[in-house]
């Protein structure tokens, strides 16, 4: 049985926050801006999120919770929702991936995958 394709596309941009980071203390702060695009023909509401954050040592942290940045946005067809959040790593390089739990206006639950993206401090990649 195949899993239906999500009508949601997720795009990500990242930024290293130099003035909040402290490499001497293994503290690397990153922001990420997520754009959630509804390519479907029904409104979709973001109910929850599930992240897997992997640092440069392979250590994984899972983060789950309701909504994003305190909101549970409803995204109409052919529209997008954007937010910015952040994370702290112990290493200058890491990755994030996961999914959003969504529900359509006709009450169908689905997962919108968040493709893996890289977090990298300047000079972390040679």
């Amino acid at each position: 049985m195949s899993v239906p394709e999500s009508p949601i596309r997720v795009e990500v941009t990242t930024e290293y926050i130099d003035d909040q980071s402290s490499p001497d203390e293994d503290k690397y702060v990153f922001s990420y801006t997520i754009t959630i695009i509804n390519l479907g023909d029904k409104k979709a509401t973001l109910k929850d999120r599930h992240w897997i954050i992997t640092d440069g040592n392979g250590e994984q942290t899972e983060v789950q919770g309701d909504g994003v940045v305190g909101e549970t946005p409803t995204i109409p067809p052919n529209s997008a929702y954007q937010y910015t959040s952040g994370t702290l790593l112990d290493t200058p390089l890491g990755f994030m991936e996961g999914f959003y739990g969504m529900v359509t206006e006709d009450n169908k639950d689905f997962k919108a995958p968040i493709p893996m993206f890289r977090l990298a401090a300047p000079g972390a990649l040679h």
Side-chain angles (χ1 to χ4, degrees):
M1 185 168 127
S2 67
V3 176
E5 191 171 317
S6 170
I8 300 294
R9 185 172 79 222
V10 177
E11 298 177 351
V12 184
T13 58
T14 64
E15 185 178 350
Y16 175 67
I17 310 297
D18 188 49
D19 63 346
Q20 294 179 27
S21 297
S22 180
D24 293 344
E25 299 170 17
D26 293 331
K27 180 179 163 188
Y28 300 87
V29 179
F30 298 90
S31 72
Y32 52 90
T33 299
I34 305 275
T35 305
I36 303 166
I37 304 159
N38 185 351
L39 301 172
D41 56 5
K42 293 182 171 51
K43 290 181 187 174
T45 300
L46 190 157
K47 299 186 314 178
D48 53 53
R49 69 193 183 285
H50 184 125
W51 287 106
I52 299 170
I53 306 166
T54 307
D55 72 14
N57 296 323
E59 297 292 322
Q60 289 191 331
T61 304
E62 287 194 55
V63 178
Q64 299 179 60
D66 294 336
V68 290
V69 295
E71 298 182 7
T72 53
T74 297
I75 308 164
N78 300 309
S79 296
Y81 173 81
Q82 187 174 76
Y83 73 95
T84 300
S85 190
T87 194
L88 172 67
L89 293 180
D90 295 336
T91 60
L93 180 65
F95 298 90
M96 290 179 67
E97 64 184 317
F99 63 84
Y100 295 117
M102 309 285 295
V103 62
T104 60
E105 62 187 317
D106 56 357
N107 254 354
K108 289 191 169 56
D109 290 305
F110 67 96
K111 292 179 181 176
I114 305 164
M116 181 181 285
F117 59 92
R118 182 176 60 210
L119 303 164
L125 299 175
H126 302 288

